[in-house]
Amino acid sequence: MRVLTLAATIAVLMTSQVQAAPQPAPRWAIVVHGGAGVIERSQLTPEQEKAYRAAMTRVTQAGAKVLEDGGSAMDAIEATIHLLEDDPLFNAGRGAVFTAEGRNELDASMMDGRTLAAGAVAGATRTRHPISLARAVMEKSPHVMLIGEGANAFSKAQGLEQVEPGYFFTERRWKSLENFLKANGLPVPAKPAGADQPDPANGLAHDEGKHGTVGVVALDSRGDVAAGTSTGGTTGKRWGRVGDSPIIGAGTYASNTSCAVSATGTGEYFIRLTVARDICALVELKGMSLQAAADEVVQKKLTALGGDGGIIAVAPDGQIAWSYNTSGMYRAAAAEGRPLTVGIYKDEP
Ligand code: ASP
């Protein structure tokens, strides 16, 4: 009787194991973030929440389509970040935060995990899509990083779309700057020329604190991973301050031997911890799962140092992960054979 029961139990176990067999690893995957910070249910109006979920869905679908059609991780990332840079809801491209001098100084970077090629720009002021400028640095120059006027000149020489500085202006980011400057006893500069254009995101955008950033990581059907990040940095930044977003290894990193990571948060901490590379090193050298490595760096090391923010990551074997120590992070993921998911708050998967 006992033996029979045991046999029956084993049979049931085996059946349930068969039923719970893991799905095959997706051949392609994409993860997107739109910034982390003070993002709580009680703070967003239903309209704001709807606008962010719709935007995250739209851009992730666009990136997924590139991958589904056999496109490269690099192309999917660039296409997705273009949409985020054009959307004034996010702190990148149009809708970027202002420096204390009332300028938009844009930082971006990209890294190709197949070749370890990378490109970055800091303090760019005239390129509509800074992510494309970062990619051009990688593909069309012998360098990895260009800054300020030199980056602007390179952009123009490469034929990338140029805009007047006023193109990036949004009234709500200006208000955030005014509040920041007043709180810090600093003078409020004159608005930049061309600052009077209408803001389609007016009333819909949520102020997630003084930062935000956009980033995308992807795995393509050839098995290559890549990462890209684009930002306006932090409100009221001064003295040519540069955060982690354009620093390879800090805000962005990708290697086919480990993973691809894009970060958002207070850049000073991400630089000191080389957050993106550290996560990939834990995967590569310690054999940790992607989620465990991400949590080790974000939940433990970053938190212990007093930094705030989060990351998204993907690995060549199809693992995806995110980790953040703020109250929320705009995030979305899609992969072959899996439904697209969007999350904002802590209590969402
Ligand atoms: N990491 C960006 C920076 O420090 C800002 C952010 O992600 O919020 O420039």
Side-chain angles (χ1 to χ4, degrees):
M1 186 67 190
R2 257 186 106 95
V3 174
L4 269 182
T5 312
L6 192 62
T9 311
I10 290 168
V12 169
L13 273 176
M14 283 176 67
T15 321
S16 63
Q17 259 170 12
V18 170
Q19 280 168 353
Q23 283 179 283
R27 279 183 316 123
W28 60 262
I30 182 166
V31 193
V32 180
H33 74 72
V38 186
I39 309 169
E40 282 157 25
R41 267 213 169 76
S42 57
Q43 293 181 339
L44 268 76
T45 65
E47 292 74 30
Q48 286 177 326
E49 188 177 321
K50 213 170 131 204
Y52 278 98
R53 286 192 196 278
M56 293 302 289
T57 303
R58 183 176 63 93
V59 305
T60 307
Q61 276 169 343
K65 174 91 175 60
V66 174
L67 296 167
E68 205 166 20
D69 292 348
S72 70
M74 290 290 287
D75 285 346
I77 291 167
E78 189 179 7
T80 308
I81 293 185
H82 273 196
L83 298 174
L84 290 159
E85 287 175 337
D86 284 348
D87 190 332
L89 285 176
F90 302 98
N91 174 18
R94 182 153 182 238
V97 300
F98 290 95
T99 67
E101 294 80 26
R103 287 156 53 89
N104 298 111
E105 294 182 359
L106 308 169
D107 303 338
S109 64
M110 275 194 103
M111 185 161 185
D112 183 345
R114 184 174 66 86
T115 56
L116 298 188
V121 288
T125 59
R126 304 300 294 256
T127 307
R128 176 175 172 187
H129 294 122
I131 197 70
S132 295
L133 180 51
R135 187 171 184 178
V137 173
M138 173 186 139
E139 291 176 345
K140 310 271 173 55
S141 89
H143 308 299
V144 168
M145 190 169 194
L146 301 180
I147 62 163
E149 283 313 316
N152 286 343
F154 177 74
S155 172
K156 207 169 169 192
Q158 288 299 317
L160 296 179
E161 186 175 346
Q162 304 294 298
V163 291
E164 292 300 320
Y167 165 82
F168 301 108
F169 183 92
T170 51
E171 192 61 40
R172 77 180 174 106
R173 294 294 191 194
W174 190 262
K175 289 252 151 53
S176 301
L177 175 67
E178 284 179 346
N179 293 339
F180 174 88
L181 295 174
K182 280 175 194 155
N184 288 278
L186 293 165
V188 176
K191 281 185 185 176
D196 47 4
Q197 54 180 316
D199 175 6
N202 199 14
L204 291 176
H206 165 71
D207 201 346
E208 66 284 345
K210 64 178 186 143
H211 47 76
T213 279
V214 305
V216 182
V217 294
L219 161 69
D220 64 31
S221 48
R222 281 177 291 278
D224 297 324
V225 294
T229 309
S230 181
T231 190
T234 51
T235 297
K237 62 185 183 180
R238 299 166 82 187
W239 309 299
R241 179 266 186 194
V242 176
D244 60 313
S245 305
I247 309 289
I248 298 302
T252 303
Y253 193 77
S255 168
N256 276 4
T257 59
S258 52
C259 63
V261 175
S262 170
T264 172
T266 308
E268 283 69 11
Y269 294 89
F270 285 72
I271 294 172
R272 291 156 68 197
L273 288 169
T274 57
V275 163
R277 170 61 192 156
D278 204 33
I279 292 168
C280 292
L282 289 176
V283 170
E284 186 176 344
L285 305 175
K286 274 199 163 177
M288 288 172 79
S289 75
L290 191 62
Q291 188 65 56
D295 288 340
E296 174 72 24
V297 177
V298 174
Q299 307 299 335
K300 292 198 186 149
K301 294 186 183 184
L302 182 68
T303 305
L305 201 62
D308 63 321
I311 65 94
I312 52 169
V314 68
D317 65 2
Q319 292 178 74
I320 62 173
W322 48 57
S323 191
Y324 55 97
N325 66 1
T326 49
S327 54
M329 179 167 84
Y330 301 114
R331 57 195 187 273
E336 185 193 35
R338 319 254 163 106
L340 189 151
T341 57
V342 178
I344 299 178
Y345 311 113
K346 264 257 146 79
D347 56 11
E348 295 176 273

